[in-house]
Amino acid sequence: MRKLKLFLLTTFAILFAETGYSQTSMIWHFGSNAKLDFTTITASSPNPTATTNSSLSTNEGSSGMTNATGLEDLFYTDGSKVWDKNGNQMPNGFGLKGDASSSSSAIVVPKPGSSTRFYIFTVDNSLEDQDAGLGYWYYEVDMTLNNGLGDVVKRAGTKLYDNNSNNFPTEKITVAKHANGTDYWIIIAPKRWLPDIHAYQLSSTGISAPTISTVSLGGYGHQTHGYLKVNTKSNKIASGCLKLPGTCALFLYDFDNSTGFLSNPQRVSQTRNYPSAYYGVEFSPNSDVLYTTTLLSNADLYKINLTAGNS
């Protein structure tokens, strides 16, 4: 989606700490060198500090990792480059197979059982995958390297899912906590035209073969762009939708975080045409409310009460 200049309201950085899941990072990197620092908030100064000193510049996805308190940067990425907490590129933090113009260009997840190693999962730009065949890849960051500033262990990366010119990726990826309290589910919608969602269990021993759910979207398909998000209870997943050109809607699924299966797809929004389709997606902390933003033309923010009982 390199041609789309996006202005998004979404949660850009989530801390996945071994001591607690879905704690909010207090430092966000996104957009054109934008940085929001919530650590400076006080009773007399209730707003975060906004600066333009981030090394990251992207129209779409970004992801980062802080320490267990959420108060200090460890590193951040746009899916193709990785910067340390000082804003310097890691020695091997370049050439990753994500794309800064992918809806969810990367997600960062801690390696279960480790306090110093993290995975970066990347998503290619779906419009360019036809000539590169990049699809979905993952990398490992070791924070004990580079004098404690971290480095990518294997810059070549490892392929998670391979797309081809007939099956572009959807630019959708998210992560959920496993029911066992230790592992994670890495969840992707890998095929633009097919209604399959893959959930890979990430444990201390590595990444499993995927659990595959075929969930009908009422003929809309996953389409290509828009966010895929899990709620804080890890029992619901929402999928934004953007079709170029065409119409689509926002969908909600039940998620079983013990098996990785998705079920019960529900359309929870009106059908909209591009470019006013639903793009950014996020749940409230109590999981009762779903927020979504439209794309480009109106840039509206919508609030959907999921407890209202009206699908």
Side-chain angles (χ1 to χ4, degrees):
M1 292 187 67
R2 193 171 299 281
K3 296 181 180 179
L4 299 178
K5 304 299 182 182
L6 304 175
F7 300 90
L8 309 177
L9 176 60
T10 189
T11 301
F12 287 91
I14 296 293
L15 170 67
F16 301 105
E18 290 300 298
T19 55
Y21 177 67
S22 263
Q23 295 173 288
T24 302
S25 169
M26 300 294 283
I27 303 171
W28 298 2
H29 297 265
F30 61 96
S32 299
N33 307 109
K35 179 180 178 180
L36 283 179
D37 187 344
F38 291 85
T39 66
T40 61
I41 289 178
T42 64
S44 59
S45 180
N47 296 319
T49 301
T51 65
T52 56
N53 62 358
S54 175
S55 297
L56 180 147
S57 183
T58 173
N59 289 331
E60 297 192 65
S62 61
S63 188
M65 179 60 62
T66 62
N67 65 1
T69 66
L71 301 178
E72 181 182 349
D73 267 330
L74 292 181
F75 61 92
Y76 52 96
T77 179
D78 64 357
S80 61
K81 297 179 181 178
V82 188
W83 295 272
D84 64 27
K85 66 180 182 180
N86 297 323
N88 298 317
Q89 186 175 289
M90 288 184 178
N92 289 302
F94 64 95
L96 278 65
K97 296 179 177 66
D99 195 295
S101 191
S102 172
S103 300
S104 300
S105 57
I107 58 169
V108 180
V109 186
K111 183 176 183 178
S114 174
S115 61
T116 59
R117 291 206 172 213
F118 302 87
Y119 286 101
I120 299 175
F121 292 85
T122 65
V123 185
D124 190 25
N125 177 348
S126 65
L127 301 184
E128 296 179 353
D129 191 63
Q130 55 186 339
D131 54 23
L134 298 184
Y136 296 79
W137 289 68
Y138 62 94
Y139 305 79
E140 194 168 346
V141 173
D142 186 346
M143 291 304 299
T144 66
L145 301 177
N146 190 24
N147 297 316
L149 294 175
D151 199 5
V152 179
V153 176
K154 180 182 176 184
R155 191 172 67 82
T158 303
K159 188 176 293 184
L160 180 69
Y161 183 89
D162 187 15
N163 290 84
N164 56 58
S165 59
N166 296 317
N167 234 337
F168 301 153
T170 64
E171 300 187 0
K172 295 178 185 290
I173 188 169
T174 192
V175 58
K177 191 68 174 179
H178 194 283
N180 64 21
T182 301
D183 299 345
Y184 299 94
W185 291 106
I186 309 303
I187 304 162
I188 67 175
K191 307 173 185 179
R192 184 191 300 186
W193 307 118
L194 296 178
D196 289 345
I197 293 183
H198 294 204
Y200 299 81
Q201 184 174 346
L202 173 64
S203 69
S204 59
T205 59
I207 299 173
S208 69
T211 297
I212 300 176
S213 305
T214 300
V215 283
S216 172
L217 295 186
Y220 292 97
H222 294 302
Q223 306 313 329
T224 308
H225 315 293
Y227 276 72
L228 190 69
K229 283 296 182 76
V230 180
N231 68 356
T232 55
K233 297 177 181 179
S234 291
N235 62 6
K236 296 284 186 181
I237 292 179
S239 177
C241 175
L242 169 63
K243 184 178 180 181
L244 289 137
T247 60
C248 55
L250 183 68
F251 275 81
L252 183 70
Y253 312 87
D254 291 337
F255 179 64
D256 186 337
N257 70 339
S258 61
T259 65
F261 276 106
L262 287 83
S263 61
N264 189 30
Q266 299 179 64
R267 190 174 72 179
V268 294
S269 70
Q270 296 177 340
T271 301
R272 296 182 70 103
N273 293 311
Y274 171 83
S276 296
Y278 303 98
Y279 183 87
V281 178
E282 187 58 272
F283 288 91
S284 64
N286 65 6
S287 300
D288 290 343
V289 174
L290 180 64
Y291 296 95
T292 182
T293 53
T294 57
L295 181 68
L296 293 179
S297 61
N298 297 320
D300 293 326
L301 173 65
Y302 290 91
K303 176 181 177 182
I304 300 169
N305 183 0
L306 299 178
T307 66
N310 184 348
S311 63

